[in-house]
Amino acid sequence: MDATDEKLLKLLTANSREGTSSLARKLGLSRSTVQDRINKLIDRKIIAGFTVKTHPDYEGKLISAHVLLSIDQKYAQQAIGLMKTRPQIKTLYVVSGAYDLIAIVKAPTMEEIDQTLDFILAINGVNKTNTSLVLSAKKES
């Protein structure tokens, strides 16, 4: 990856919807060259996809829950696969200690949080959960 690719990646990270023509002007390249570079970054698995960042005001309105899960290890991969299908489960961490996983759940209503917790508890192999609702965030990155 050269300096131009790094600049391109930085521009796309700031705004993944920026048009190829605009990127080309900023980089001093042709539009087709920029598109080729983007395709190569994708092929080389440097760019994994293009996404939307939600506004902090929207994120601040979501209810957030941290769910610690104890899972029977012979069902772990199946359980993780099922949890990945639920959009309210934003992140899954494998952890050491008394629990096996931490699921970060975010939803606009307590009803959706409750439904997501019911979904998690119904998964084969989930033995025990412990849920904490986030009251406020003092620092986020």
Side-chain angles (χ1 to χ4, degrees), residues 7-94:
K7 288 178 192 172
L8 176 58
L9 191 57
K10 186 175 180 179
L11 289 168
L12 287 170
T13 300
N15 180 6
S16 65
R17 291 187 60 192
E18 188 162 356
T20 314
S21 297
S22 174
L23 292 167
R25 277 191 301 280
K26 289 178 180 179
L27 295 169
L29 301 171
S30 71
R31 195 180 64 72
S32 61
T33 299
V34 169
Q35 189 60 58
D36 287 345
R37 283 179 173 267
I38 290 170
N39 291 338
K40 286 178 184 173
L41 290 170
I42 293 168
D43 291 344
R44 291 172 39 211
K45 298 190 183 338
I46 293 170
I47 293 177
F50 300 89
T51 187
V52 173
K53 290 189 278 185
T54 55
H55 195 279
D57 289 348
Y58 172 76
E59 284 291 321
K61 292 177 187 172
L62 293 176
I63 300 164
S64 183
H66 294 192
V67 185
L68 286 74
L69 297 103
S70 175
I71 295 185
D72 184 333
Q73 289 306 302
K74 65 182 171 186
Y75 299 107
Q77 291 308 310
Q78 178 186 3
I80 290 168
L82 287 169
M83 284 186 270
K84 284 181 177 181
T85 68
R86 197 71 175 209
Q88 295 85 355
I89 300 173
K90 302 298 183 187
T91 311
L92 281 171
Y93 297 106
V94 175

Side-chain angles (χ1 to χ4, degrees), residues 63-67 105 110 113-114 117 131-136:
I63 300 164
S64 183
H66 294 192
V67 185
V105 177
M110 280 303 297
I113 295 284
D114 189 43
L117 295 176
T131 302
S132 295
L133 293 174
V134 175
L135 301 176
S136 68

